[in-house]
Amino acid sequence: MPVPTASAPAARTARAAITIVVLAALLSLQPVTTDVYLPALPALTQALGSTVAAGQLTLSALLLAFGCSQLVWGPLSDRFGRRPILLCGIVLYALASVGSVAAASMDWLILWRTVQGAAMGAVVMCARAIVRDLYDPVAGARAMSKALTGLGVVACLCAPVGGLLAQMLGWRAPLAAVTVYALACLLLVWRYLPETLARPNPRALQPGTLVRTWSLVLRHPTFWSYSLLTTASYGGLFTYLATSSFIFIGVLGLSRTHYGWVLFTSGLAYFLGTFLCRALMARWGLQRTVAIGGLLSITGGTLLAGAAFLGWHHPLALLCPFYIFALGHGIHQPCGQTGCVAPFPQAAGVASAFNGFMMMLLAFAIGLWLGQQSNNTIWPLVYGVWGCSIALAIVAWWPVQKFAPSS
């Protein structure tokens, strides 16, 4: 019996909704990897007889591998398609997750987390490239915002779940939960995500083609404008993630459970920022939305610094300004991640890879700096977020306004 034509739009809508859900799950692998184990970070550092700097290296090394690996995964996905690279990355990620759970020393944990970061690069890079495969720039920003709303939900749950697991079952339990999440992502991709790259480039891996593609991407002002936006925004978030467990638990005296709720509320602010992004884009367009995000970022960073300079070293005095910064982060990431790949429909994998590499390179540099600044005070957090908020405002108000695609 023929299917009524009226069902075709409904079927397309359902497929689009499923795609957004799968993309949200894939993009959420990053906060799952970083946030779930944060409440257990002080405990695992102590249990493995290591230092705070080494404990932070389990995060910064993961993120450096995450960024560098995308430079490999990007051209591979342009050559062979998104789906095979995704599946390969998730399988490798799950195996590295098992290794992390079984690690008997900090050195082994750092090694397995590095492999995990490299595999995560394939997953997140492909998810960003898929958005460019399926949408034009402005529609892509809206779709990415929806996917990152899902990421916000997952991010809100990560720390409370991680804190509860660590408190009940020990520090290895959050790492085991990450493995379960990876397997769930594998099933989603296998079942619901077909290939999205219409015409893979058979010459994408040839040296001459790679050099021309890299040159095309790296010479484009739109790429740099949006990549600097996402990089500065992620730098502020990474500073918060890398320092918050030691500051809120070790310096300000919160329990691991309470710290989990600290990260929950921070994720909630980011979650609300993604909704704000879509509302602002509908009314003001892309450029003004980014400008408003820049205002939120610098306001949050400056209020955080002001509270610290006034001696208000209390959890709420730090959290309330950071919530404002997180709202801006919810605007900058969907706009920036889609904007940086918008000019490159045939090289979205490479553009996404370079964007991810820039974010993670800054995160690794910040991680090294934080390791040297660990002094049982709130100042590394304050200076890191404030500095990134200033950079964000400059980028949002100048190059993005000049080079943004028309909205």
Side-chain angles (χ1 to χ4, degrees), residues 366-403:
I366 289 174
L368 293 180
W369 175 75
L370 291 173
Q372 297 173 349
Q373 301 298 316
S374 298
N375 53 10
N376 292 321
T377 71
I378 67 170
W379 293 108
L381 168 64
V382 172
Y383 288 135
V385 173
W386 190 25
C388 288
S389 74
I390 294 171
L392 263 171
I394 293 172
V395 174
W397 295 341
W398 176 40
V400 167
Q401 299 308 307
K402 184 175 181 180
F403 299 115

PDB file of all heavy atoms in Angstrom, residues 366-403:
ATOM      1  N   ILE A 366      47.324  25.998  29.084  1.00  0.00           N
ATOM      2  CA  ILE A 366      46.743  26.445  30.348  1.00  0.00           C
ATOM      3  C   ILE A 366      46.975  25.395  31.431  1.00  0.00           C
ATOM      4  O   ILE A 366      47.278  25.725  32.591  1.00  0.00           O
ATOM      5  CB  ILE A 366      45.234  26.734  30.175  1.00  0.00           C
ATOM      6  CG1 ILE A 366      45.033  27.991  29.339  1.00  0.00           C
ATOM      7  CG2 ILE A 366      44.543  26.895  31.532  1.00  0.00           C
ATOM      8  CD1 ILE A 366      43.589  28.278  28.997  1.00  0.00           C
ATOM      9  N   GLY A 367      46.852  24.106  31.065  1.00  0.00           N
ATOM     10  CA  GLY A 367      47.089  23.044  32.041  1.00  0.00           C
ATOM     11  C   GLY A 367      48.503  23.075  32.588  1.00  0.00           C
ATOM     12  O   GLY A 367      48.721  22.896  33.798  1.00  0.00           O
ATOM     13  N   LEU A 368      49.486  23.310  31.705  1.00  0.00           N
ATOM     14  CA  LEU A 368      50.871  23.415  32.175  1.00  0.00           C
ATOM     15  C   LEU A 368      51.045  24.614  33.089  1.00  0.00           C
ATOM     16  O   LEU A 368      51.717  24.540  34.127  1.00  0.00           O
ATOM     17  CB  LEU A 368      51.818  23.516  30.976  1.00  0.00           C
ATOM     18  CG  LEU A 368      51.928  22.283  30.075  1.00  0.00           C
ATOM     19  CD1 LEU A 368      52.893  22.549  28.939  1.00  0.00           C
ATOM     20  CD2 LEU A 368      52.374  21.061  30.883  1.00  0.00           C
ATOM     21  N   TRP A 369      50.440  25.722  32.710  1.00  0.00           N
ATOM     22  CA  TRP A 369      50.520  26.932  33.541  1.00  0.00           C
ATOM     23  C   TRP A 369      49.859  26.713  34.899  1.00  0.00           C
ATOM     24  O   TRP A 369      50.407  27.100  35.934  1.00  0.00           O
ATOM     25  CB  TRP A 369      49.857  28.091  32.805  1.00  0.00           C
ATOM     26  CG  TRP A 369      49.781  29.357  33.619  1.00  0.00           C
ATOM     27  CD1 TRP A 369      50.806  30.207  33.901  1.00  0.00           C
ATOM     28  CD2 TRP A 369      48.606  29.895  34.254  1.00  0.00           C
ATOM     29  NE1 TRP A 369      50.341  31.248  34.679  1.00  0.00           N
ATOM     30  CE2 TRP A 369      48.999  31.076  34.906  1.00  0.00           C
ATOM     31  CE3 TRP A 369      47.274  29.491  34.331  1.00  0.00           C
ATOM     32  CZ2 TRP A 369      48.105  31.868  35.628  1.00  0.00           C
ATOM     33  CZ3 TRP A 369      46.382  30.269  35.037  1.00  0.00           C
ATOM     34  CH2 TRP A 369      46.787  31.440  35.685  1.00  0.00           C
ATOM     35  N   LEU A 370      48.716  26.056  34.901  1.00  0.00           N
ATOM     36  CA  LEU A 370      48.021  25.786  36.160  1.00  0.00           C
ATOM     37  C   LEU A 370      48.840  24.862  37.049  1.00  0.00           C
ATOM     38  O   LEU A 370      48.842  25.015  38.278  1.00  0.00           O
ATOM     39  CB  LEU A 370      46.648  25.174  35.885  1.00  0.00           C
ATOM     40  CG  LEU A 370      45.608  26.105  35.248  1.00  0.00           C
ATOM     41  CD1 LEU A 370      44.351  25.324  34.882  1.00  0.00           C
ATOM     42  CD2 LEU A 370      45.262  27.258  36.181  1.00  0.00           C
ATOM     43  N   GLY A 371      49.534  23.882  36.438  1.00  0.00           N
ATOM     44  CA  GLY A 371      50.367  22.999  37.228  1.00  0.00           C
ATOM     45  C   GLY A 371      51.468  23.743  37.958  1.00  0.00           C
ATOM     46  O   GLY A 371      51.842  23.381  39.083  1.00  0.00           O
ATOM     47  N   GLN A 372      51.964  24.821  37.355  1.00  0.00           N
ATOM     48  CA  GLN A 372      52.999  25.628  37.998  1.00  0.00           C
ATOM     49  C   GLN A 372      52.416  26.603  39.012  1.00  0.00           C
ATOM     50  O   GLN A 372      53.128  27.057  39.917  1.00  0.00           O
ATOM     51  CB  GLN A 372      53.776  26.408  36.932  1.00  0.00           C
ATOM     52  CG  GLN A 372      54.530  25.523  35.955  1.00  0.00           C
ATOM     53  CD  GLN A 372      55.137  26.319  34.817  1.00  0.00           C
ATOM     54  OE1 GLN A 372      54.841  27.494  34.629  1.00  0.00           O
ATOM     55  NE2 GLN A 372      55.985  25.664  34.022  1.00  0.00           N
ATOM     56  N   GLN A 373      51.124  26.920  38.857  1.00  0.00           N
ATOM     57  CA  GLN A 373      50.498  27.916  39.728  1.00  0.00           C
ATOM     58  C   GLN A 373      49.736  27.303  40.890  1.00  0.00           C
ATOM     59  O   GLN A 373      49.114  28.036  41.660  1.00  0.00           O
ATOM     60  CB  GLN A 373      49.523  28.777  38.911  1.00  0.00           C
ATOM     61  CG  GLN A 373      50.158  29.519  37.757  1.00  0.00           C
ATOM     62  CD  GLN A 373      51.200  30.514  38.208  1.00  0.00           C
ATOM     63  OE1 GLN A 373      50.992  31.247  39.173  1.00  0.00           O
ATOM     64  NE2 GLN A 373      52.340  30.533  37.538  1.00  0.00           N
ATOM     65  N   SER A 374      49.746  25.970  41.025  1.00  0.00           N
ATOM     66  CA  SER A 374      48.969  25.316  42.088  1.00  0.00           C
ATOM     67  C   SER A 374      49.525  25.728  43.451  1.00  0.00           C
ATOM     68  O   SER A 374      50.598  25.307  43.852  1.00  0.00           O
ATOM     69  CB  SER A 374      49.037  23.791  41.931  1.00  0.00           C
ATOM     70  OG  SER A 374      48.462  23.408  40.711  1.00  0.00           O
ATOM     71  N   ASN A 375      48.798  26.589  44.148  1.00  0.00           N
ATOM     72  CA  ASN A 375      49.280  27.135  45.415  1.00  0.00           C
ATOM     73  C   ASN A 375      48.204  27.166  46.496  1.00  0.00           C
ATOM     74  O   ASN A 375      48.282  27.955  47.436  1.00  0.00           O
ATOM     75  CB  ASN A 375      49.824  28.551  45.189  1.00  0.00           C
ATOM     76  CG  ASN A 375      48.805  29.457  44.483  1.00  0.00           C
ATOM     77  OD1 ASN A 375      47.639  29.100  44.318  1.00  0.00           O
ATOM     78  ND2 ASN A 375      49.256  30.627  44.067  1.00  0.00           N
ATOM     79  N   ASN A 376      47.173  26.303  46.335  1.00  0.00           N
ATOM     80  CA  ASN A 376      46.092  26.221  47.320  1.00  0.00           C
ATOM     81  C   ASN A 376      45.389  27.555  47.524  1.00  0.00           C
ATOM     82  O   ASN A 376      45.007  27.910  48.647  1.00  0.00           O
ATOM     83  CB  ASN A 376      46.621  25.692  48.655  1.00  0.00           C
ATOM     84  CG  ASN A 376      47.045  24.243  48.569  1.00  0.00           C
ATOM     85  OD1 ASN A 376      46.398  23.434  47.902  1.00  0.00           O
ATOM     86  ND2 ASN A 376      48.154  23.903  49.216  1.00  0.00           N
ATOM     87  N   THR A 377      45.213  28.311  46.436  1.00  0.00           N
ATOM     88  CA  THR A 377      44.429  29.544  46.471  1.00  0.00           C
ATOM     89  C   THR A 377      43.470  29.527  45.282  1.00  0.00           C
ATOM     90  O   THR A 377      43.549  28.660  44.406  1.00  0.00           O
ATOM     91  CB  THR A 377      45.315  30.800  46.380  1.00  0.00           C
ATOM     92  OG1 THR A 377      45.852  30.896  45.050  1.00  0.00           O
ATOM     93  CG2 THR A 377      46.448  30.753  47.401  1.00  0.00           C
ATOM     94  N   ILE A 378      42.602  30.532  45.232  1.00  0.00           N
ATOM     95  CA  ILE A 378      41.639  30.624  44.132  1.00  0.00           C
ATOM     96  C   ILE A 378      42.207  31.369  42.924  1.00  0.00           C
ATOM     97  O   ILE A 378      41.567  31.401  41.869  1.00  0.00           O
ATOM     98  CB  ILE A 378      40.352  31.335  44.586  1.00  0.00           C
ATOM     99  CG1 ILE A 378      40.643  32.804  44.898  1.00  0.00           C
ATOM    100  CG2 ILE A 378      39.730  30.614  45.781  1.00  0.00           C
ATOM    101  CD1 ILE A 378      39.396  33.637  45.113  1.00  0.00           C
ATOM    102  N   TRP A 379      43.408  31.936  43.040  1.00  0.00           N
ATOM    103  CA  TRP A 379      43.886  32.865  42.022  1.00  0.00           C
ATOM    104  C   TRP A 379      44.123  32.245  40.654  1.00  0.00           C
ATOM    105  O   TRP A 379      43.867  32.916  39.625  1.00  0.00           O
ATOM    106  CB  TRP A 379      45.124  33.597  42.534  1.00  0.00           C
ATOM    107  CG  TRP A 379      44.769  34.506  43.675  1.00  0.00           C
ATOM    108  CD1 TRP A 379      45.077  34.336  44.996  1.00  0.00           C
ATOM    109  CD2 TRP A 379      43.977  35.693  43.609  1.00  0.00           C
ATOM    110  NE1 TRP A 379      44.540  35.344  45.753  1.00  0.00           N
ATOM    111  CE2 TRP A 379      43.857  36.201  44.933  1.00  0.00           C
ATOM    112  CE3 TRP A 379      43.356  36.378  42.560  1.00  0.00           C
ATOM    113  CZ2 TRP A 379      43.151  37.354  45.228  1.00  0.00           C
ATOM    114  CZ3 TRP A 379      42.649  37.545  42.855  1.00  0.00           C
ATOM    115  CH2 TRP A 379      42.555  38.018  44.168  1.00  0.00           C
ATOM    116  N   PRO A 380      44.632  31.024  40.525  1.00  0.00           N
ATOM    117  CA  PRO A 380      44.758  30.468  39.164  1.00  0.00           C
ATOM    118  C   PRO A 380      43.421  30.428  38.418  1.00  0.00           C
ATOM    119  O   PRO A 380      43.363  30.740  37.222  1.00  0.00           O
ATOM    120  CB  PRO A 380      45.306  29.059  39.421  1.00  0.00           C
ATOM    121  CG  PRO A 380      46.060  29.177  40.705  1.00  0.00           C
ATOM    122  CD  PRO A 380      45.244  30.129  41.535  1.00  0.00           C
ATOM    123  N   LEU A 381      42.355  30.062  39.105  1.00  0.00           N
ATOM    124  CA  LEU A 381      41.025  30.059  38.500  1.00  0.00           C
ATOM    125  C   LEU A 381      40.623  31.465  38.084  1.00  0.00           C
ATOM    126  O   LEU A 381      40.147  31.698  36.966  1.00  0.00           O
ATOM    127  CB  LEU A 381      40.004  29.482  39.480  1.00  0.00           C
ATOM    128  CG  LEU A 381      38.521  29.652  39.134  1.00  0.00           C
ATOM    129  CD1 LEU A 381      38.184  28.900  37.858  1.00  0.00           C
ATOM    130  CD2 LEU A 381      37.641  29.193  40.277  1.00  0.00           C
ATOM    131  N   VAL A 382      40.826  32.411  38.979  1.00  0.00           N
ATOM    132  CA  VAL A 382      40.398  33.786  38.719  1.00  0.00           C
ATOM    133  C   VAL A 382      41.137  34.386  37.530  1.00  0.00           C
ATOM    134  O   VAL A 382      40.516  34.908  36.588  1.00  0.00           O
ATOM    135  CB  VAL A 382      40.621  34.653  39.981  1.00  0.00           C
ATOM    136  CG1 VAL A 382      40.370  36.131  39.665  1.00  0.00           C
ATOM    137  CG2 VAL A 382      39.702  34.191  41.111  1.00  0.00           C
ATOM    138  N   TYR A 383      42.455  34.297  37.535  1.00  0.00           N
ATOM    139  CA  TYR A 383      43.234  34.907  36.463  1.00  0.00           C
ATOM    140  C   TYR A 383      42.973  34.228  35.123  1.00  0.00           C
ATOM    141  O   TYR A 383      42.914  34.895  34.073  1.00  0.00           O
ATOM    142  CB  TYR A 383      44.722  34.853  36.799  1.00  0.00           C
ATOM    143  CG  TYR A 383      45.142  35.803  37.898  1.00  0.00           C
ATOM    144  CD1 TYR A 383      45.995  35.382  38.920  1.00  0.00           C
ATOM    145  CD2 TYR A 383      44.674  37.115  37.924  1.00  0.00           C
ATOM    146  CE1 TYR A 383      46.381  36.247  39.933  1.00  0.00           C
ATOM    147  CE2 TYR A 383      45.057  37.981  38.936  1.00  0.00           C
ATOM    148  CZ  TYR A 383      45.906  37.549  39.941  1.00  0.00           C
ATOM    149  OH  TYR A 383      46.290  38.406  40.937  1.00  0.00           O
ATOM    150  N   GLY A 384      42.822  32.899  35.126  1.00  0.00           N
ATOM    151  CA  GLY A 384      42.585  32.184  33.877  1.00  0.00           C
ATOM    152  C   GLY A 384      41.266  32.557  33.235  1.00  0.00           C
ATOM    153  O   GLY A 384      41.204  32.863  32.035  1.00  0.00           O
ATOM    154  N   VAL A 385      40.181  32.543  34.006  1.00  0.00           N
ATOM    155  CA  VAL A 385      38.864  32.862  33.450  1.00  0.00           C
ATOM    156  C   VAL A 385      38.787  34.333  33.047  1.00  0.00           C
ATOM    157  O   VAL A 385      38.249  34.673  31.979  1.00  0.00           O
ATOM    158  CB  VAL A 385      37.753  32.518  34.469  1.00  0.00           C
ATOM    159  CG1 VAL A 385      36.390  32.995  33.965  1.00  0.00           C
ATOM    160  CG2 VAL A 385      37.711  31.012  34.721  1.00  0.00           C
ATOM    161  N   TRP A 386      39.331  35.208  33.873  1.00  0.00           N
ATOM    162  CA  TRP A 386      39.288  36.639  33.560  1.00  0.00           C
ATOM    163  C   TRP A 386      40.046  36.933  32.269  1.00  0.00           C
ATOM    164  O   TRP A 386      39.563  37.660  31.392  1.00  0.00           O
ATOM    165  CB  TRP A 386      39.868  37.426  34.725  1.00  0.00           C
ATOM    166  CG  TRP A 386      39.671  38.925  34.627  1.00  0.00           C
ATOM    167  CD1 TRP A 386      38.697  39.594  33.937  1.00  0.00           C
ATOM    168  CD2 TRP A 386      40.474  39.936  35.260  1.00  0.00           C
ATOM    169  NE1 TRP A 386      38.829  40.947  34.085  1.00  0.00           N
ATOM    170  CE2 TRP A 386      39.913  41.191  34.910  1.00  0.00           C
ATOM    171  CE3 TRP A 386      41.587  39.900  36.087  1.00  0.00           C
ATOM    172  CZ2 TRP A 386      40.453  42.397  35.353  1.00  0.00           C
ATOM    173  CZ3 TRP A 386      42.118  41.105  36.541  1.00  0.00           C
ATOM    174  CH2 TRP A 386      41.558  42.335  36.174  1.00  0.00           C
ATOM    175  N   GLY A 387      41.251  36.374  32.131  1.00  0.00           N
ATOM    176  CA  GLY A 387      42.036  36.605  30.916  1.00  0.00           C
ATOM    177  C   GLY A 387      41.320  36.117  29.672  1.00  0.00           C
ATOM    178  O   GLY A 387      41.292  36.807  28.638  1.00  0.00           O
ATOM    179  N   CYS A 388      40.714  34.938  29.747  1.00  0.00           N
ATOM    180  CA  CYS A 388      39.985  34.404  28.591  1.00  0.00           C
ATOM    181  C   CYS A 388      38.756  35.239  28.275  1.00  0.00           C
ATOM    182  O   CYS A 388      38.385  35.400  27.101  1.00  0.00           O
ATOM    183  CB  CYS A 388      39.591  32.946  28.847  1.00  0.00           C
ATOM    184  SG  CYS A 388      40.991  31.799  28.801  1.00  0.00           S
ATOM    185  N   SER A 389      38.105  35.792  29.297  1.00  0.00           N
ATOM    186  CA  SER A 389      36.913  36.614  29.052  1.00  0.00           C
ATOM    187  C   SER A 389      37.271  37.901  28.321  1.00  0.00           C
ATOM    188  O   SER A 389      36.516  38.372  27.458  1.00  0.00           O
ATOM    189  CB  SER A 389      36.209  36.929  30.376  1.00  0.00           C
ATOM    190  OG  SER A 389      36.920  37.898  31.134  1.00  0.00           O
ATOM    191  N   ILE A 390      38.440  38.473  28.635  1.00  0.00           N
ATOM    192  CA  ILE A 390      38.889  39.673  27.924  1.00  0.00           C
ATOM    193  C   ILE A 390      39.170  39.340  26.456  1.00  0.00           C
ATOM    194  O   ILE A 390      38.757  40.077  25.543  1.00  0.00           O
ATOM    195  CB  ILE A 390      40.138  40.259  28.602  1.00  0.00           C
ATOM    196  CG1 ILE A 390      39.781  40.769  30.010  1.00  0.00           C
ATOM    197  CG2 ILE A 390      40.734  41.389  27.765  1.00  0.00           C
ATOM    198  CD1 ILE A 390      40.985  41.160  30.847  1.00  0.00           C
ATOM    199  N   ALA A 391      39.868  38.230  26.222  1.00  0.00           N
ATOM    200  CA  ALA A 391      40.143  37.806  24.847  1.00  0.00           C
ATOM    201  C   ALA A 391      38.855  37.545  24.084  1.00  0.00           C
ATOM    202  O   ALA A 391      38.724  37.898  22.896  1.00  0.00           O
ATOM    203  CB  ALA A 391      41.022  36.559  24.865  1.00  0.00           C
ATOM    204  N   LEU A 392      37.882  36.936  24.736  1.00  0.00           N
ATOM    205  CA  LEU A 392      36.599  36.651  24.105  1.00  0.00           C
ATOM    206  C   LEU A 392      35.898  37.921  23.646  1.00  0.00           C
ATOM    207  O   LEU A 392      35.372  37.991  22.528  1.00  0.00           O
ATOM    208  CB  LEU A 392      35.693  35.903  25.094  1.00  0.00           C
ATOM    209  CG  LEU A 392      35.647  34.389  24.983  1.00  0.00           C
ATOM    210  CD1 LEU A 392      34.889  33.806  26.163  1.00  0.00           C
ATOM    211  CD2 LEU A 392      35.008  33.972  23.680  1.00  0.00           C
ATOM    212  N   ALA A 393      35.874  38.915  24.519  1.00  0.00           N
ATOM    213  CA  ALA A 393      35.200  40.165  24.163  1.00  0.00           C
ATOM    214  C   ALA A 393      35.862  40.811  22.951  1.00  0.00           C
ATOM    215  O   ALA A 393      35.185  41.297  22.036  1.00  0.00           O
ATOM    216  CB  ALA A 393      35.207  41.117  25.363  1.00  0.00           C
ATOM    217  N   ILE A 394      37.196  40.805  22.922  1.00  0.00           N
ATOM    218  CA  ILE A 394      37.913  41.407  21.793  1.00  0.00           C
ATOM    219  C   ILE A 394      37.563  40.695  20.492  1.00  0.00           C
ATOM    220  O   ILE A 394      37.246  41.325  19.472  1.00  0.00           O
ATOM    221  CB  ILE A 394      39.430  41.363  22.048  1.00  0.00           C
ATOM    222  CG1 ILE A 394      39.794  42.281  23.229  1.00  0.00           C
ATOM    223  CG2 ILE A 394      40.196  41.778  20.799  1.00  0.00           C
ATOM    224  CD1 ILE A 394      41.233  42.144  23.676  1.00  0.00           C
ATOM    225  N   VAL A 395      37.588  39.349  20.513  1.00  0.00           N
ATOM    226  CA  VAL A 395      37.293  38.589  19.292  1.00  0.00           C
ATOM    227  C   VAL A 395      35.836  38.758  18.871  1.00  0.00           C
ATOM    228  O   VAL A 395      35.523  38.936  17.682  1.00  0.00           O
ATOM    229  CB  VAL A 395      37.625  37.097  19.507  1.00  0.00           C
ATOM    230  CG1 VAL A 395      37.190  36.267  18.303  1.00  0.00           C
ATOM    231  CG2 VAL A 395      39.114  36.911  19.756  1.00  0.00           C
ATOM    232  N   ALA A 396      34.919  38.706  19.835  1.00  0.00           N
ATOM    233  CA  ALA A 396      33.494  38.797  19.518  1.00  0.00           C
ATOM    234  C   ALA A 396      33.114  40.159  18.968  1.00  0.00           C
ATOM    235  O   ALA A 396      32.206  40.266  18.131  1.00  0.00           O
ATOM    236  CB  ALA A 396      32.667  38.491  20.771  1.00  0.00           C
ATOM    237  N   TRP A 397      33.799  41.203  19.413  1.00  0.00           N
ATOM    238  CA  TRP A 397      33.427  42.560  19.005  1.00  0.00           C
ATOM    239  C   TRP A 397      34.211  43.090  17.809  1.00  0.00           C
ATOM    240  O   TRP A 397      33.864  44.117  17.254  1.00  0.00           O
ATOM    241  CB  TRP A 397      33.619  43.524  20.179  1.00  0.00           C
ATOM    242  CG  TRP A 397      32.702  43.237  21.327  1.00  0.00           C
ATOM    243  CD1 TRP A 397      31.542  42.517  21.301  1.00  0.00           C
ATOM    244  CD2 TRP A 397      32.877  43.651  22.679  1.00  0.00           C
ATOM    245  NE1 TRP A 397      30.978  42.455  22.551  1.00  0.00           N
ATOM    246  CE2 TRP A 397      31.780  43.152  23.430  1.00  0.00           C
ATOM    247  CE3 TRP A 397      33.847  44.387  23.345  1.00  0.00           C
ATOM    248  CZ2 TRP A 397      31.642  43.370  24.790  1.00  0.00           C
ATOM    249  CZ3 TRP A 397      33.703  44.623  24.710  1.00  0.00           C
ATOM    250  CH2 TRP A 397      32.607  44.116  25.428  1.00  0.00           C
ATOM    251  N   TRP A 398      35.269  42.388  17.413  1.00  0.00           N
ATOM    252  CA  TRP A 398      36.049  42.901  16.293  1.00  0.00           C
ATOM    253  C   TRP A 398      36.093  41.923  15.115  1.00  0.00           C
ATOM    254  O   TRP A 398      35.319  42.082  14.164  1.00  0.00           O
ATOM    255  CB  TRP A 398      37.452  43.325  16.766  1.00  0.00           C
ATOM    256  CG  TRP A 398      38.322  43.756  15.633  1.00  0.00           C
ATOM    257  CD1 TRP A 398      37.964  44.512  14.538  1.00  0.00           C
ATOM    258  CD2 TRP A 398      39.706  43.439  15.460  1.00  0.00           C
ATOM    259  NE1 TRP A 398      39.041  44.679  13.697  1.00  0.00           N
ATOM    260  CE2 TRP A 398      40.125  44.041  14.236  1.00  0.00           C
ATOM    261  CE3 TRP A 398      40.637  42.723  16.211  1.00  0.00           C
ATOM    262  CZ2 TRP A 398      41.425  43.925  13.765  1.00  0.00           C
ATOM    263  CZ3 TRP A 398      41.935  42.619  15.732  1.00  0.00           C
ATOM    264  CH2 TRP A 398      42.323  43.217  14.526  1.00  0.00           C
ATOM    265  N   PRO A 399      36.955  40.876  15.108  1.00  0.00           N
ATOM    266  CA  PRO A 399      37.041  40.062  13.882  1.00  0.00           C
ATOM    267  C   PRO A 399      35.752  39.338  13.518  1.00  0.00           C
ATOM    268  O   PRO A 399      35.431  39.211  12.331  1.00  0.00           O
ATOM    269  CB  PRO A 399      38.185  39.082  14.174  1.00  0.00           C
ATOM    270  CG  PRO A 399      38.369  39.085  15.637  1.00  0.00           C
ATOM    271  CD  PRO A 399      37.941  40.436  16.109  1.00  0.00           C
ATOM    272  N   VAL A 400      34.997  38.858  14.516  1.00  0.00           N
ATOM    273  CA  VAL A 400      33.755  38.159  14.170  1.00  0.00           C
ATOM    274  C   VAL A 400      32.771  39.115  13.503  1.00  0.00           C
ATOM    275  O   VAL A 400      32.077  38.749  12.546  1.00  0.00           O
ATOM    276  CB  VAL A 400      33.126  37.510  15.422  1.00  0.00           C
ATOM    277  CG1 VAL A 400      31.700  37.057  15.130  1.00  0.00           C
ATOM    278  CG2 VAL A 400      33.958  36.315  15.870  1.00  0.00           C
ATOM    279  N   GLN A 401      32.714  40.355  13.972  1.00  0.00           N
ATOM    280  CA  GLN A 401      31.801  41.329  13.363  1.00  0.00           C
ATOM    281  C   GLN A 401      32.225  41.659  11.931  1.00  0.00           C
ATOM    282  O   GLN A 401      31.388  41.955  11.073  1.00  0.00           O
ATOM    283  CB  GLN A 401      31.768  42.604  14.204  1.00  0.00           C
ATOM    284  CG  GLN A 401      31.288  42.400  15.619  1.00  0.00           C
ATOM    285  CD  GLN A 401      29.968  41.672  15.696  1.00  0.00           C
ATOM    286  OE1 GLN A 401      28.992  42.067  15.056  1.00  0.00           O
ATOM    287  NE2 GLN A 401      29.917  40.600  16.468  1.00  0.00           N
ATOM    288  N   LYS A 402      33.519  41.557  11.658  1.00  0.00           N
ATOM    289  CA  LYS A 402      34.021  41.911  10.323  1.00  0.00           C
ATOM    290  C   LYS A 402      33.903  40.756   9.345  1.00  0.00           C
ATOM    291  O   LYS A 402      33.618  40.974   8.155  1.00  0.00           O
ATOM    292  CB  LYS A 402      35.479  42.343  10.438  1.00  0.00           C
ATOM    293  CG  LYS A 402      36.073  42.837   9.128  1.00  0.00           C
ATOM    294  CD  LYS A 402      37.478  43.371   9.350  1.00  0.00           C
ATOM    295  CE  LYS A 402      38.071  43.894   8.035  1.00  0.00           C
ATOM    296  NZ  LYS A 402      39.448  44.420   8.217  1.00  0.00           N
ATOM    297  N   PHE A 403      34.097  39.519   9.825  1.00  0.00           N
ATOM    298  CA  PHE A 403      34.210  38.390   8.902  1.00  0.00           C
ATOM    299  C   PHE A 403      33.077  37.380   9.020  1.00  0.00           C
ATOM    300  O   PHE A 403      33.125  36.332   8.377  1.00  0.00           O
ATOM    301  CB  PHE A 403      35.537  37.667   9.114  1.00  0.00           C
ATOM    302  CG  PHE A 403      36.740  38.547   8.868  1.00  0.00           C
ATOM    303  CD1 PHE A 403      37.600  38.876   9.906  1.00  0.00           C
ATOM    304  CD2 PHE A 403      36.999  39.048   7.611  1.00  0.00           C
ATOM    305  CE1 PHE A 403      38.695  39.676   9.685  1.00  0.00           C
ATOM    306  CE2 PHE A 403      38.092  39.862   7.377  1.00  0.00           C
ATOM    307  CZ  PHE A 403      38.940  40.183   8.424  1.00  0.00           C
TER     308      PHE A 403
END
